[in-house]
Amino acid sequence: MKYRSTRNDVDHSELSPAAAVIQGLAPDGGLYVPAVFPKASWQLAELTKLSYQDLAAKVLALFFPDLSSQQIKAVVKNAYGQQWDDPKIAPLVKAGRNFYLELFHGPTLAFKDIALQALPQLMTRSVTIENRHRQIVILTATSGDTGTASMRGFSDQAGTQVFVFYPHGGVSPVQLRQMLSQRGHNLQAFAIKGNFDDAQTEVKRIFNDQTFKGKLADQGCQFSSANSMNIGRLLPQIVYYFYAYGQLVNQNEIKLGDQVNFAVPTGNFGDILAGYYAEKLGLPIRKLICASDANNVLTDFFHTGTYNRQRPFYLTNSPAMDILVSSNLERLLFDLDQANWQEIKSWMTALQTQGHYQVNQTVFHQLQDLFVSGFATQKQVKQEIHQLHQETGYVIDPHTAVGSFVTRQYQAQTSDPTPTVINATASPYKFPETVYSAITGQAVASKGLPAVKQLHALLGGELKQGVKALFANPPRPEKVITRSEMESVISQDLHLK
Ligand SMILES: *Cc1c(COP(=O)(O)O)cnc(C)c1O
């Protein structure tokens, strides 16, 4: 099992799973993917009987054969333990005719915990395997949720240093509070004057800056990434697709072998790509529903085959999806285009230089077989939260509402009767302002933590540990910098010459 870059010849980019996790991003700007996609020898029936942890061990073993089974067990035990407020890790809830896969029971209340509780475990073991006694410097661009989740995952992990960059004014009050109240000795968060794409582009640039990398190496340090560009972040997400399927079987909602749809609120395309990988591993998926917010570049892409980032950028009530360049789409295209890395490279270069590219007809037709797409405006997001609550009593966050809205629209248009799982990517308490006003028609009295209390007063019930934790540590002051200062703050903090 080897990995390779999406933008280079296999002979020139091949490396071990451990090295791919440490590197994060390929030096040619491409993303690491399996050189040959693994074939699973398991039976679907046996998977439906496994706990989340045992299922995770099976999936990870397939992609990380250089870890011993003892090591995999330890990864899974540490990643999916007491820090989760539900023993199922990812419980499935039926509301109306659809199913909601709750991926937000981890410490930071969003689905990124699923991957970011596992990635540090994989990374520290990879460092040992590769025998690199280097300090790993994690650079992360975040639209909100990755920031806290990676700080939380790497907090006080020996041999790691974490730098998080988020758009100033572009994250929710609760997300901001979470980032500013993390306490590990190895964690730093900076607000960038710009949007998420600015932060992500600069992180990618710093990552591949040879001079800077040289200085880091002199100091015994090496960059890595906790973004979903890192393959070690992506692969743990395959698990919950199988786990959702198992729950549908065990709750007698489907028979083994029946097809299901998954609807995924999409930003950087990591979550939905994991669904595509699950399908490649034999999960009977009929449609992957790619749901976008008002930044609907992917909706247009799936309809036309042209990816065009030249459009206005909107800050919406689903901030984790406010993205115009969905990095992980590159991995899907690479796979559908039969590993034609030259073509992938030319598309990605066109995206960078001209702002758009068009895929070929073969890729386009494959996309249309498996994917459908749609988007929800901010108003539709609030209506969806309101309507679902009215009809079923179930409360969803704005990101989940995007998936839920697009699903219902798709079902109305197509009459597709396939059982559909909507990935519920964040807790409603992470976005209390939008959820409260969607349900009541009234604005909250005050944003952030007071809004959490106000929403709780409305919904009742017991608060989960992740919500209670919001009130524990006081926040540190925000550090605001420009995009061009990102490199120097890293240099200063690591005392580079
Ligand atoms: C990150 C995030 C998304 C988008 O997921 P991608 O893997 O980037 O497509 C959706 N919802 C929430 C709540 C998120 O945090």
Side-chain angles (χ1 to χ4, degrees), residues 167 194-197 295 309 311-316 319 321-324:
N195 62 33
F196 169 72
D197 289 311
N295 297 290
R309 63 169 294 183
R311 58 180 70 220
F313 175 82
Y314 302 107
L315 286 176
T316 75
M321 297 162 65
D322 293 344
I323 291 179
L324 293 181

Side-chain angles (χ1 to χ4, degrees), residues 140-148 151 163-172 175-180 188-200 203 476-483 486:
T140 293
T142 179
S143 55
D145 290 336
T146 294
T148 330
M151 289 167 95
F163 293 90
V164 168
F165 301 97
Y166 61 91
H168 186 222
V171 300
S172 83
Q175 288 174 324
L176 184 63
R177 166 89 190 198
Q178 283 183 319
M179 279 192 278
L180 297 178
Q188 295 267 15
F190 296 93
I192 304 303
K193 293 178 190 154
N195 62 33
F196 169 72
D197 289 311
D198 295 326
Q200 175 158 268
V203 161
R476 296 189 164 140
E478 197 171 17
K479 287 175 267 185
V480 186
I481 61 171
T482 62
R483 178 172 157 177
M486 285 166 63

Side-chain angles (χ1 to χ4, degrees), residues 110-112 145 265-271 320-321 397 399 425-426 431:
F111 91 103
K112 293 192 172 62
D145 290 336
T266 296
N268 223 0
F269 211 77
D271 191 357
M321 297 162 65
D397 98 290
H399 303 79
T425 51
F431 303 93

